[in-house]
Amino acid sequence: MTALTLSTAGAATLRADALVVGVAKGVKGPVLAPGSEAVDKAFDGKLAAVLATLGATGAEGELTKLPAASGLKAPVVVAVGLGPVPDKEDAYDAEALRRAAGTAARALSGSKKAGFALPAGSVEDAAAVAEGALLGSYAFTAYQGGENKLAPKDAKSKDSGPKQPLAEVALLGGKPRDKGYKAAVERALALVEEINRARDLINTPPNDLYPESFAAVATAAGKEHGVKVQVLDEKALVKGGYGGLLGVGQGSTNGPRLVKLAYTHPKAEKTLALVGKGITYDSGGISLKPAGHNETMKCDMSGAAAVFAAVITAARLGLKVNVTGWLALAENMPSGNATRPGDVLRMYSGKTVEVLNTDAEGRLVLADALTRASEEKPDAIVDVATLTGAMVLALGNRTFGIMANDDAFRTSVHEIAEEVGEASWPMPLPADLRKGMDSPTADMANMGERMGGGLVAGLFLKEFVGEGIAWAHLDIAGPAYHEGAPYGYTPKGGTGSAVRTLVRLAERTADGDLG
């Protein structure tokens, strides 16, 4: 994990490999952002002109490197685009700062230390820069750079392994002795460490991450951070009647698990339950996915990873709210023992479900976990899942959908997501789509109308939420796993989508503003 410090040094005197400054897109060319004053002074007030000569415009995502002027201790200046100049001075959007810091951090991989002289005049700005820089510094290298046993033993390999992330971020322009700034940095560190742990889990190959090993990771983290962890194995699931989890997991040699993480605070007045889909690998089961659709299905546990990260973060921050996480873990595989299309499962709730498509498995494991979470009568439940391709078709790869049984709660979750920089959109739960899940054999089927499939899945889940409990469903199928080139603070692979939203929701709940 990249180190983060609130530096007491000025930009001109900081000894580092590089200095990062912000530049915005003005009407007549690039405009230097607050924080760059000392660097500009070293360039005799001509830094913006030099950047313009080099082709910089200040557009978002743009990055320009140039040799530092003689008055600076750092040898390189990195100018990163912030997008359009804001209407008000110093009023840079927090998400623009996160993305700019992330872009710069990615460009500086392999460096030991960089000073970030981006706008940090407020605690909120400093927090955004810190989050972006730490998120952008992420790299998954656990399976790279091992010993090459075919190489001559007396020869040094030319490949020294993968380039390591930026080792240290020095945040400039803040107030190192101010309690607000210190708290913001500590929060950013805790939050991003857990987001990056979620990213690691998502990126881990499925031969190493399966229900039992995921449960072991959760158990170890709970022990470290004072979170109680309970793991229901196959025997306990059979005894408890968890037909959804068992039905999905029975085709694999790696049995399913239901993991409960419970963080409690002695002064908490509210309880928030989080439920995560944890399909550690999804082949589609007997309804096998076609070629070209299996390669990234290790990411189908991204919802459980987000829930896990959010509960541990809440514990690390000591939030005055009880947060319970439920990880519904299973591996969906085809075998002679796998659930078949046409089989009927008796869920933990007692309802029976006819399985028409074994690739609609996420809703089955979530249903059991939602029922179990509802038994504890929390004030609200939020589930997170890479649930449907239909949601990707509707909202694209960068936006998750939000459904709920309460309009005010859905609005609150949407506002929180936008506040923390996670693109989302409120979606309806049309009652007329429920009829498509009627079954002549069971209480309901796990499939309904093809059109509006993401909404149908939400309606299915709603059936398993306890009466009178506010519930929201986040379908993160689009943004959970990024297959393209990195951008901003978003890496290739697992992203940790929804963690920031869940943590902020927990913070608001702790403050008595559940919504």
Side-chain angles (χ1 to χ4, degrees), residues 59-377:
E60 181 181 326
E62 182 183 79
L63 186 136
T64 307
K65 289 185 178 181
L66 65 159
S70 58
L72 303 174
K73 298 294 184 183
V76 175
V77 171
V78 177
V80 61
L82 291 166
V85 175
D87 294 333
K88 297 181 180 179
E89 188 178 356
D90 296 338
Y92 283 87
D93 179 70
E95 182 62 6
L97 294 177
R98 282 191 203 96
R99 291 178 179 175
T103 298
R106 285 192 298 103
L108 291 168
S109 60
S111 301
K112 292 182 179 180
K113 183 176 181 179
F116 280 67
L118 293 170
S122 69
V123 170
E124 292 75 19
D125 287 350
V129 173
E131 283 181 26
L134 293 173
L135 288 168
S137 297
Y138 173 81
F140 185 67
T141 60
Y143 291 81
Q144 299 174 351
E147 180 185 357
N148 182 2
K149 294 183 178 180
L150 297 178
K153 293 183 178 180
D154 58 346
K156 292 184 178 181
S157 174
K158 293 182 180 179
D159 183 9
S160 58
K163 185 180 288 188
Q164 295 301 308
L166 172 63
E168 181 182 348
V169 170
L171 190 61
L172 304 173
K175 300 175 182 178
R177 295 177 180 83
D178 184 276
K179 290 182 179 180
Y181 278 85
K182 288 181 179 179
V185 168
E186 290 172 0
R187 180 188 183 277
L189 277 168
L191 174 65
V192 178
E193 280 182 3
E194 297 310 322
I195 291 175
N196 285 347
R197 193 201 314 242
R199 289 171 166 180
D200 283 348
L201 287 168
I202 297 165
N203 290 327
T204 298
N207 56 320
D208 282 344
L209 188 75
Y210 41 90
E212 184 179 3
S213 63
F214 195 154
V217 172
T219 300
K223 185 176 181 180
E224 180 184 356
H225 296 291
V227 174
K228 292 183 180 179
V229 181
Q230 179 186 10
V231 180
L232 299 185
D233 60 13
E234 288 170 277
K235 289 183 179 179
L237 293 173
V238 170
K239 185 177 180 180
Y242 292 86
L245 273 159
L246 291 165
V248 173
Q250 70 187 44
S252 174
T253 55
N254 296 312
R257 298 288 188 273
L258 178 61
V259 179
K260 175 186 177 182
L261 301 101
Y263 161 68
T264 57
H265 192 284
K267 296 183 179 180
E269 297 181 357
K270 297 286 187 179
T271 297
L272 182 64
L274 309 176
V275 177
K277 174 187 173 184
I279 304 299
T280 57
Y281 182 74
D282 183 18
S283 69
I286 296 298
S287 305
L288 195 66
K289 293 179 184 291
H293 291 74
N294 280 309
E295 290 76 7
T296 62
M297 282 300 102
K298 63 182 182 181
C299 79
D300 213 17
M301 37 59 66
S302 296
V307 166
F308 166 55
V311 175
I312 299 300
T313 303
R316 292 182 62 173
L317 297 178
L319 302 182
K320 293 180 182 179
V321 58
N322 297 327
V323 184
T324 303
W326 301 88
L327 314 183
L329 309 178
E331 189 174 71
N332 189 24
M333 296 291 284
S335 74
N337 197 46
T339 293
R340 297 154 291 231
D343 283 356
V344 174
L345 305 177
R346 185 170 294 278
M347 312 297 284
Y348 178 71
S349 69
K351 287 181 189 251
T352 55
V353 174
E354 182 182 9
V355 179
L356 299 181
N357 187 327
T358 64
D359 196 22
E361 84 299 328
R363 64 199 69 181
L364 298 175
V365 301
L366 285 173
D368 277 355
L370 284 167
T371 303
R372 179 65 186 87
S374 296
E375 287 182 339
E376 298 192 353
K377 305 295 183 184

